[in-house]
Amino acid sequence: MAGKGRESLALNSNSSPIQTQLNAKKAEAATLPRVLLTDIDLNWLQTIGEGWAAPLKGFMREGALVQTLHHNSLLVDPYNVTGHKGQLEAPTEWNGKNLRLIDGGLVVCLPFTSVRLFTLHRLDATQTKTGYTTRNRVSMSIPIVLPISDFTKFCVEKSGKSSVALSTKDGVVVAILRNPEIYKNRKEEIVTRTFGVIDPGHPYIKHIYSGGDWLLGGEIELLGRIKYNDGLDQYRLTAKELVDEFVRRGADAVFAFQTRNPTHAGHAYLMKTAREKLIAKGT
């Protein structure tokens, strides 16, 4: 279930110990180099921080991005069955040996993490150069990345810090990103693999091409709940809050319709009829 057990301490900071930790992190953030977020970056930060993009715990590192672009999924080992738990958080390490022969045929291999795993370019393959990688994949077809400029790259690298502060356009620090990994922004590859076409008239494709030439990956820690102060914040529940509400209501079925626009007549019809059909089935 999306976000189960994946919620920042800052989202539920009523207790004194948690508030103390939060204050300490805010003090730390004040000493770190800052990375400015666009409105879209802030949306993605909320998506990650509230658990909607699980198993991601931060903006994609290069290994996770390549998997997303070429497999539409991510290798995971949440219970450490194969000893590779947390590999999505490990720094990507490429060594150039990304081709080899398997069963007489050429197979592309994707170097993945600092432990030098080589995942075969086959969805059912599990054997790697160092033994066995994870057995499970989870769906992940959309790149969740953080573009940065040459100047921001320079500032982060020059600082020598192992963390950076993420700031809104209004100067509010909303999160800390740990163990930053900076790599080239594969704009054309991201566009073509995600959308299947290069169309500068498409608003999100235009957004990708207008971004910085570098991407910043790393795990994030929210310093507070993401709010937009538009009168709707009270209705923006986290994944865990929604699950808690389903339990409170004793729901045995849940239907929903997600849209980035205000609900139109067609949307309202879909939700209304879905409810009616579920009730008629006795669900």
Side-chain angles (χ1 to χ4, degrees):
M1 182 174 295
K4 189 172 184 180
R6 271 285 303 121
E7 205 166 357
S8 170
L9 288 176
L11 298 183
N12 294 298
S13 55
N14 295 324
S15 68
S16 295
I18 292 179
Q19 188 60 51
T20 299
Q21 292 180 44
L22 183 56
N23 291 339
K25 291 182 185 298
K26 287 182 177 181
E28 177 191 1
T31 69
L32 302 174
R34 289 195 181 191
V35 173
L36 182 64
L37 302 176
T38 66
D39 290 341
I40 291 179
D41 296 335
L42 186 64
N43 294 157
W44 282 126
L45 177 66
Q46 181 182 12
T47 300
I48 299 166
E50 294 185 2
W52 298 106
L56 288 180
K57 297 180 180 178
F59 288 99
M60 287 180 174
R61 297 179 181 276
E62 191 170 21
L65 172 62
V66 170
Q67 284 195 77
T68 296
L69 294 179
H70 294 274
H71 292 290
N72 290 325
S73 59
L74 295 173
L75 285 165
V76 294
D77 185 10
Y79 303 108
N80 207 33
V81 175
T82 59
H84 298 130
K85 182 179 181 180
Q87 62 180 357
L88 290 175
E89 292 81 63
T92 307
E93 186 172 311
W94 303 87
N95 69 0
K97 298 178 181 179
N98 59 347
L99 292 176
R100 60 183 170 132
L101 291 174
I102 298 292
D103 298 328
L106 187 63
V107 177
V108 178
C109 305
L110 303 177
F112 184 49
T113 69
S114 59
V115 292
R116 296 183 181 275
L117 298 180
F118 285 72
T119 306
L120 303 183
H121 196 87
R122 295 175 179 171
L123 291 180
D124 59 347
T126 57
Q127 191 169 9
T128 67
K129 186 175 181 180
T130 57
Y132 286 85
T133 186
T134 61
R135 303 175 301 176
N136 302 319
R137 283 187 176 272
V138 294
S139 178
M140 185 64 69
S141 59
I142 302 297
I144 301 180
V145 293
L146 178 57
I148 59 172
S149 65
D150 290 340
F151 178 73
T152 300
K153 175 179 181 290
F154 171 78
C155 292
V156 171
E157 293 177 338
K158 184 180 179 181
S159 72
K161 299 282 188 177
S162 60
S163 301
V164 299
L166 304 182
S167 169
T168 69
K169 62 184 180 182
D170 299 317
V172 179
V173 176
V174 289
I176 294 176
L177 184 144
R178 303 292 187 187
N179 302 316
E181 176 179 319
I182 298 176
Y183 57 100
K184 196 70 177 176
N185 189 353
R186 305 160 174 254
K187 296 181 182 180
E188 186 168 335
E189 185 177 356
I190 290 173
V191 168
T192 53
R193 296 294 301 186
T194 304
F195 298 95
V197 65
I198 296 178
D199 179 6
H202 188 287
Y204 204 83
I205 291 178
K206 181 179 180 181
H207 165 73
I208 291 172
Y209 276 112
S210 66
D213 291 331
W214 305 95
L215 296 177
L216 177 64
E219 293 63 58
I220 60 98
E221 297 175 7
L222 292 183
L223 300 182
R225 191 156 191 153
I226 303 296
K227 294 184 178 181
Y228 299 91
N229 300 314
D230 56 0
L232 298 175
D233 286 327
Q234 61 180 314
Y235 302 110
R236 295 187 177 102
L237 303 183
T238 68
K240 185 177 184 303
E241 287 171 342
L242 282 174
V243 171
D244 291 343
E245 182 64 16
F246 300 155
V247 172
R248 187 186 71 81
R249 296 191 181 196
D252 57 359
V254 177
F255 66 94
F257 186 88
Q258 187 276 334
T259 175
R260 65 184 179 87
N261 297 318
T263 302
H264 295 217
H267 306 151
Y269 174 77
L270 286 172
M271 290 186 282
K272 180 175 181 293
T273 54
R275 179 177 181 274
E276 292 172 348
K277 288 182 178 180
L278 285 171
I279 292 175
K281 289 181 179 180
T283 302

